[in-house]
Amino acid sequence: MTRVYFSVLGPLTISRDGVAAPLTSSRLRTLLASLLLHPNQVVTIDQLIERLWSDSSPQDPRRVVQTIVVRLRQVPDLSDVICTQPGGYTARLADHQLDLLEFRQLMEASAHAGDPESEADLLCRALSLWHGSACEDVDSETLHRLEVPPLTEQRLQAVERRIDLDLQLGRDGGLVAELRALTAEHPLRERFWFQLMTALCRGGRQAEALDTYRIVFRLFQDDLGIAPGDELTLLHQAILTGHHECFPLLVRRAADHRNMSISKGSIAAAHDDSADTIGEASAESFANASAATVVFPPQEIPPHISHFVGRVSELDLLNKVLDDRGTSVDSAPKVIVIVGNAGIGKTALATHWCTAVAPDFPDGQLHVNMRGFETLPPLDPASALAMLLRSLGVPPQEIPPDLAATSALFRTRTAGRRMIVFLDNVSDTEQVRPLLPGRGCIAVITSRNQLRGLVAREAATRISLPPLDMPDSLRLLASVAGESRISVEDTQARRLANLCDKSPLALRIIGERIARQSNMSLAAFVDELSRGHKRLDAFDSGDDAGTDLRTVLSWSYESLDAQTARVLRLVGGLYPGADISLAAASAIVALPTHQARRHLDRLVATHLVEQRDRDRYHLHDLVRAHAAEQTLHHDSSTDRVDAISRLLVWFMHALFSVDVIFAPDRHRDPLPEPAETIATVSFADPRAALQWCELEYHTLTVLPAWAYANEAFGASCQIAYLLENFLAHYKDLHVLIDSHQAAVKAARESGDSRMEGHLLNAMGNANAELHRRDEASRCYDDALSAFHSCDNLGGKTKTLGNMAMLAIDAGDYKTAWPQCIEALYLATRLGNARGRAHNLDSLGEIHFGLGDFLEAIQCWREALEINRRGGSLFLQAINLTNLGRAHAALERHRQAISNYQEAISITRSLGSDRCLAAANLKLGDSYHALGDESAAQSAWKEAFDFYSNYGDPKSEEVRSRLKSLDI
């Protein structure tokens, strides 16, 4: 029998036999959480409505709630759990099925425990069930306002009681660190402050306990305008006077500390209202104690890195900061933050610059590797300060145990001195802030983190390092690999630089391999670096974690929280492009956009993702390669398939909206519904649709092949079909052909002959437009066969019409006539207005080719009227251009110009350069016929610019016209 277990004490989860079962719908999750927070109790429909819709509910919320319940019961194993009751619903569960019930059961047992040890153990078991805030990933403001606070209070009360028991039992070894975190998270909860002071005093750290009281006293005064409560005040007095008997928890180990007394200075400090004065006085006393020590100026900057190239603008900025600082040792300390992603050259730049300006800092240069991102754990601020102070000659025994006092001592010992303090590889602002030196110094800090807090509060100058430019990348590669290797194979060297993301570390690793493996050509290295998810294998020097790019990237990845790491894996490891929109990222990770933005911002802060615009992000290829490895390792195949499916559905809906704009009367298949959390995009006009297509162009062109590679055959076909109008009217037709080839394979794999025919027909049109008659003919023949096999008359009609156009272009009107007539008959019989207009257009071409211009005008006028009713602006522009051609053939050039200008007006509103070029070509012909060579030149020049840019054979035809002018 399947064991189903629910968790609400943290993220909402369902597991079956220990395996997590996803529930992605936001509404389903909110309703389930509302029931689980009141297990075996009736939750009324009104309560559910309030939790599902905090602001505005739907028109009939009760019916919608019933629908959501029905959907929830369809989730495996939930039909027996969700029970209908009068007025509402109940989640019927045994204690062992829900962590909240287990928590309450353990809390009840702890209240009746016979001894402190048993009670403490039961409380530990109860608290171990918590994995964050209750229902922290459930999107319901009302639920978090009404339901979560009481549970949070129960949890905190349990923590308080457990700590009391730990103190009573003498289990206070790690309590100080835990209580410091708790007081930081819950600063107004007095009991945690009381317990922190108690733990400090029991450990013989009375001075820190008194300092803690000063902190909480100041906090309460500043934030609330009141003094701490009686319990804290009395504890403070007991520590001051040594009357520990008033508080039994202080007495338990008092014998261990009989020889420890509180000095008069400490008592005086405890009564001093100025914590800052206390810290400075303490630091000053430590400084004076070691004033007689003779210390040589430290020279700790690491060795200068050879092969340093580029970074001219960044070095100029660093020098400007130094110039702005001036020569006064009394100026405020300057803080420089050099940030960027892994391997971008932060340490190299900082070392290079610090070495260059070292003579300007005669009092010394300090350096500490803070280990923010590497194999060893990050260096804590206290340890770093101890290292810095020892470098300044402070004996270890004179270094204060308190972080604030140690930081003040460091500022005192550095104040008024011309020193560089180089703090390398910092993890975050809190790690480095206590290490900032005194006035007159410069702090140079490197980090993968943007260190936003230092920029905001300490006015730090932040320098963000981009990849090297191509010339500097080649210089760096040549300096490591050898100039001759790089200059001989310049094209391959450029490809290598791009495959290395122009990252200095990656270039150095590959350069070393090129120099060492002289028998391998650069082309072989290019091939090795192009191997998909195995690409990072090439960036391993073999003997140093710091020159193994996979390891270096992993240090950034491992610093992320679980949800942000998942976002990186899916966005970087699955998405088929380097640039991604917020909406697409939201779709692939199945999070609302505001949550996806928050995680992406964390990735931006650590330089794993680059923000290019408010809602657009960029990932470098090496980061994507690492993310691809991680998603294979951490995400199940089901999770990856679901993510790919969500993204493809999102793109299909967006392209559906685009296609409706470009061809409102075209047939489109219905699409699968997106998940509730996914926000689809739509467009109000052609310009908005075109702008989106241009932004997403590089991704759109690879989507059909990417979907095919992931065996999403239906999506591959649909996306290619929906792309046709955009690619045909706005882009290089070769791209349409390439994108459709994968989709045709997908249609054949899935046995979808109808879609196969549509795609082949579009490929035939593109080949015909490119004057590839044989390829076009083969595509049309294959399309016709596909439509015959599934008896699709609509597709057959369309293809016959296009075959007729191919024959017309070759002047073969004998072949074109029966094809066109049959296609026109079928379209009329089927009531297919768009198909009738298309074949009337073809029939007009036949009449035009045979010199029957009046009949051609009749056909094109009728086609225009049909397309006006259907709303297709593209087809109207084509019809108007054709009418202009017919009037021009009848020497009615002014009427022809009117038709062309109307067509041009439409195409300009659509932003379609291809249709615009066709109309301008003919417009120029009519102006030329009327003797207006200036207007002809202007029209032909615009047509030529388009055709030449896309390599269209018509460009030579237009060039000849331009050369014929006498201007």
Side-chain angles (χ1 to χ4, degrees):
M1 181 178 178
T2 303
R3 182 179 182 273
V4 184
Y5 187 80
F6 301 88
S7 299
V8 292
L9 304 182
L12 173 66
T13 62
I14 309 170
S15 62
R16 298 186 182 88
D17 291 332
V19 178
L23 183 66
T24 57
S25 167
S26 176
R27 298 283 186 231
L28 294 185
R29 293 173 63 79
T30 300
L31 190 141
L32 178 60
S34 302
L35 297 176
L36 292 177
L37 289 172
H38 298 278
N40 303 315
Q41 298 176 22
V42 176
V43 181
T44 68
I45 292 180
D46 288 339
Q47 290 172 325
L48 292 173
I49 290 170
E50 186 179 11
R51 283 148 183 77
L52 284 164
W53 299 282
S54 300
D55 299 324
S56 57
S57 59
Q59 191 170 13
D60 188 356
R62 289 179 171 267
R63 183 187 62 77
V64 178
V65 168
Q66 291 167 353
T67 301
I68 295 172
V69 170
V70 169
R71 290 176 57 199
L72 190 59
R73 283 174 170 158
Q74 291 171 351
V75 175
D77 300 311
L78 289 193
S79 58
D80 295 333
V81 172
I82 311 302
C83 303
T84 303
Q85 302 290 345
Y89 299 92
T90 296
R92 186 175 297 161
L93 296 163
D95 287 350
H96 64 272
Q97 289 183 286
L98 176 65
D99 58 359
L100 177 58
L101 289 173
E102 286 191 285
F103 174 73
R104 290 173 178 169
Q105 184 184 46
L106 289 166
M107 290 296 294
E108 180 69 19
S110 72
H112 296 90
D115 59 86
E117 287 193 9
S118 298
E119 183 181 357
D121 291 343
L122 287 165
L123 286 169
C124 285
R125 288 174 57 195
L127 291 168
S128 70
L129 296 168
W130 286 80
H131 301 287
S133 299
C135 297
E136 64 183 14
D137 58 347
V138 175
D139 188 12
S140 170
E141 185 274 332
T142 303
L143 184 142
H144 286 284
R145 177 168 46 85
L146 298 179
E147 309 281 15
V148 173
L151 287 175
T152 302
E153 180 62 27
Q154 292 175 32
R155 178 189 187 184
L156 293 176
Q157 287 176 359
V159 173
E160 288 173 351
R161 177 58 183 159
R162 196 220 80 220
I163 293 173
D164 280 343
L165 290 167
D166 284 346
L167 288 167
Q168 181 182 338
L169 295 167
R171 302 174 177 173
D172 48 353
L175 286 182
V176 170
E178 180 183 6
L179 284 163
R180 287 199 190 281
L182 287 168
T183 52
E185 187 176 359
H186 308 283
L188 301 182
R189 201 168 184 93
E190 289 192 45
R191 186 63 186 173
F192 288 143
W193 289 106
F194 176 93
Q195 291 169 330
L196 176 57
M197 290 173 64
T198 301
L200 287 167
C201 192
R202 283 164 59 95
R205 299 158 70 176
Q206 286 93 334
E208 290 182 65
L210 294 171
D211 187 57
T212 298
Y213 181 79
R214 289 199 302 277
I215 293 171
V216 71
F217 185 91
R218 181 70 56 80
L219 174 71
F220 276 48
Q221 284 282 3
D222 291 349
D223 287 5
L224 304 176
I226 60 173
D230 291 342
E231 186 180 43
L232 269 178
T233 303
L234 290 172
L235 177 63
H236 175 235
Q237 291 298 321
I239 297 172
L240 277 173
T241 60
H243 292 157
H244 295 173
E245 67 276 3
C246 299
F247 292 90
L249 290 178
L250 293 179
V251 175
R252 177 174 174 80
R253 290 174 55 192
D256 297 336
H257 306 289
R258 284 176 189 151
N259 295 324
M260 296 185 181
S261 60
I262 303 174
S263 69
K264 292 180 181 179
S266 297
I267 294 173
H271 286 289
D272 195 325
D273 289 333
S274 174
D276 291 339
T277 304
I278 300 286
E280 289 172 11
S282 174
E284 200 168 79
S285 66
F286 277 98
N288 292 336
S290 58
T293 306
V294 178
V295 182
F296 290 101
Q299 308 286 330
E300 297 180 351
I301 301 300
H304 180 257
I305 296 176
S306 60
H307 311 309
F308 183 85
V309 301
R311 303 302 188 199
V312 174
S313 61
E314 289 84 2
L315 288 168
D316 287 344
L317 181 54
L318 286 165
N319 290 329
K320 183 177 185 302
V321 174
L322 185 60
D323 293 340
D324 291 345
R325 168 182 174 275
T327 58
S328 174
V329 294
D330 293 321
S331 60
K334 286 286 185 181
V335 181
I336 299 170
V337 174
I338 301 173
V339 299
N341 62 1
I344 203 65
K346 303 177 291 295
T347 299
L349 173 62
T351 301
H352 179 82
W353 184 74
C354 288
T355 301
V357 300
D360 294 331
F361 296 90
D363 294 324
Q365 304 94 43
L366 298 170
H367 172 263
V368 177
N369 176 9
M370 299 299 294
R371 304 198 309 241
F373 300 90
E374 62 176 61
T375 305
L376 294 173
L379 194 64
D380 64 88
S383 299
L385 280 168
M387 294 168 63
L388 291 166
L389 286 168
R390 288 198 295 272
S391 294
L392 293 172
V394 178
Q397 65 271 19
E398 294 183 8
I399 296 175
D402 175 75
L403 178 62
T406 312
S407 180
L409 175 58
F410 178 63
R411 290 194 299 275
T412 300
R413 294 302 298 268
T414 54
R417 303 172 71 176
R418 293 183 63 80
M419 300 187 74
I420 296 175
V421 180
F422 178 10
L423 304 170
D424 194 17
N425 195 12
V426 166
S427 62
D428 55 39
T429 296
E430 293 309 310
Q431 186 194 29
V432 76
R433 182 171 277 139
L435 279 63
L436 297 181
R439 64 187 183 278
C441 298
I442 279 189
V444 179
I445 300 166
T446 68
S447 180
R448 300 185 192 184
N449 192 306
Q450 289 182 332
L451 301 181
R452 299 169 180 177
L454 283 185
V455 176
R457 280 182 52 182
E458 279 75 22
T461 299
R462 182 168 56 210
I463 300 175
S464 298
L465 296 189
L468 295 172
D469 60 23
M470 183 58 74
D472 284 337
S473 297
L474 295 176
R475 283 177 58 208
L476 178 56
L477 200 57
S479 69
V480 181
E483 181 68 40
S484 59
R485 293 290 306 274
I486 303 307
S487 59
V488 168
E489 299 182 73
D490 178 72
T491 301
Q492 297 300 336
R494 290 174 181 274
R495 293 185 64 190
L496 270 180
N498 284 322
L499 288 166
C500 291
D501 284 342
K502 291 177 279 194
S503 158
L505 177 61
L507 288 165
R508 289 177 186 278
I509 295 171
I510 290 300
E512 185 277 333
R513 287 191 57 200
I514 293 171
R516 174 165 44 89
Q517 298 172 301
S518 57
N519 59 323
M520 279 183 65
S521 67
L522 264 59
F525 282 104
V526 167
D527 182 63
E528 184 180 357
L529 265 61
S530 305
R531 293 185 309 181
H533 70 274
K534 293 292 186 183
R535 180 175 178 179
L536 294 180
D537 290 348
F539 295 98
D540 182 3
S541 65
D543 63 349
D544 176 16
T547 52
D548 175 1
L549 196 59
R550 180 182 284 110
T551 301
V552 171
L553 289 168
S554 73
W555 294 333
S556 290
Y557 173 80
E558 288 163 7
S559 72
L560 304 172
D561 63 86
Q563 187 67 291
T564 305
R566 174 180 174 270
V567 170
L568 177 62
R569 292 196 304 271
L570 298 185
V571 168
L574 294 182
Y575 190 79
D579 292 282
I580 186 170
S581 68
L582 173 64
S586 175
I588 199 169
V589 300
L591 289 174
T593 52
H594 69 279
Q595 292 183 24
R597 187 192 299 278
R598 186 167 67 247
H599 292 296
L600 286 167
D601 187 58
R602 291 172 187 167
L603 294 171
V604 169
T606 53
H607 288 92
L608 286 164
V609 168
E610 181 182 335
Q611 189 163 8
R612 292 282 176 88
D613 203 344
R614 183 176 185 273
D615 292 337
R616 291 201 71 80
Y617 301 86
H618 176 82
L619 290 90
H620 291 290
D621 287 348
L622 295 177
V623 173
R624 293 175 61 214
H626 185 262
E629 291 185 353
Q630 296 305 310
T631 193
L632 287 172
H633 181 68
H634 291 284
D635 301 306
S636 68
S637 59
T638 300
D639 288 342
R640 295 196 302 273
V641 168
D642 288 346
I644 290 167
S645 176
R646 288 191 299 269
L647 181 68
L648 289 172
V649 169
W650 182 84
F651 268 114
M652 282 191 282
H653 279 270
L655 287 170
F656 192 99
S657 178
V658 168
D659 201 50
V660 167
I661 293 285
F662 291 157
D665 57 342
R666 186 187 190 211
H667 170 78
R668 283 167 287 271
D669 292 341
L671 301 178
E673 287 297 317
E676 287 187 17
T677 55
I678 297 176
T680 56
V681 293
S682 58
F683 310 99
D685 54 59
R687 291 286 178 182
L690 182 59
Q691 183 181 30
W692 180 85
C693 288
E694 291 290 354
L695 278 173
E696 301 291 352
Y697 178 64
H698 292 292
T699 303
L700 293 176
T701 56
V702 302
L703 273 179
W706 184 72
Y708 172 75
N710 285 283
E711 298 185 357
F713 300 135
S716 176
C717 297
Q718 284 287 349
I719 288 170
Y721 180 78
L722 294 169
L723 274 171
E724 285 175 7
N725 280 293
F726 166 62
L727 294 178
H729 295 302
Y730 293 97
K731 291 297 177 182
D732 187 342
L733 292 169
H734 298 87
V735 175
L736 185 151
I737 294 167
D738 290 343
S739 69
H740 275 49
Q741 285 173 342
V744 168
K745 289 193 287 185
R748 287 169 178 166
E749 290 270 2
S750 60
D752 190 343
S753 300
R754 179 184 63 89
M755 186 56 78
E756 179 189 351
H758 285 304
L759 296 169
L760 286 165
N761 177 75
M763 290 175 68
N765 292 343
N767 279 302
E769 189 75 18
L770 293 170
H771 305 287
R772 298 172 171 177
R773 286 186 44 75
D774 292 342
E775 289 89 339
S777 181
R778 278 195 293 272
C779 288
Y780 289 141
D781 288 341
D782 291 345
L784 208 56
S785 297
F787 286 131
H788 275 307
S789 69
C790 60
D791 197 25
N792 188 287
L793 288 179
K796 180 181 178 183
T797 301
K798 177 168 65 174
T799 306
L800 280 170
N802 289 329
M803 293 173 79
M805 281 300 302
L806 187 65
I808 291 166
D809 286 343
D812 185 359
Y813 302 114
K814 183 177 180 180
T815 300
W817 179 268
Q819 291 174 331
C820 186
I821 293 300
E822 183 181 2
L824 183 61
Y825 166 74
L826 288 173
T828 305
R829 196 183 96 186
L830 293 170
N832 182 348
R834 180 184 176 90
R836 178 172 173 78
H838 173 65
N839 288 293
L840 281 168
D841 187 68
S842 300
L843 190 58
E845 289 287 358
I846 294 174
H847 286 301
F848 185 88
L850 295 173
D852 195 347
F853 304 126
L854 292 175
E855 284 296 328
I857 288 172
Q858 287 301 112
C859 290
W860 287 333
R861 278 179 176 167
E862 186 180 350
L864 177 62
E865 289 306 311
I866 294 171
N867 287 324
R868 279 176 171 161
R869 289 194 297 271
S872 176
L873 293 174
F874 280 116
L875 297 180
Q876 291 173 47
I878 292 170
N879 298 148
L880 285 163
T881 301
N882 286 338
L883 282 168
R885 289 167 55 216
H887 286 296
L890 293 168
E891 303 294 329
R892 303 172 182 173
H893 289 293
R894 300 204 179 277
Q895 178 60 48
I897 289 171
S898 175
N899 291 139
Y900 295 143
Q901 288 176 334
E902 187 178 354
I904 287 170
S905 176
I906 291 173
T907 54
R908 286 199 196 281
S909 73
L910 293 170
S912 173
D913 293 339
R914 188 178 302 281
C915 294
L916 186 63
N920 267 310
L921 175 59
K922 297 302 179 183
L923 177 64
D925 290 346
S926 284
Y927 276 131
H928 187 258
L930 293 175
D932 190 343
E933 294 198 344
S934 176
Q937 182 188 45
S938 177
W940 284 342
K941 180 68 168 60
E942 191 168 359
F944 176 77
D945 288 344
F946 171 81
Y947 289 132
S948 60
N949 283 341
Y950 282 94
D952 194 296
K954 288 192 180 75
S955 62
E956 291 305 315
E957 179 185 338
V958 186
R959 190 196 303 274
S960 298
R961 283 173 164 81
L962 286 167
K963 285 183 177 179
S964 70
L965 295 174
D966 293 331
I967 299 176

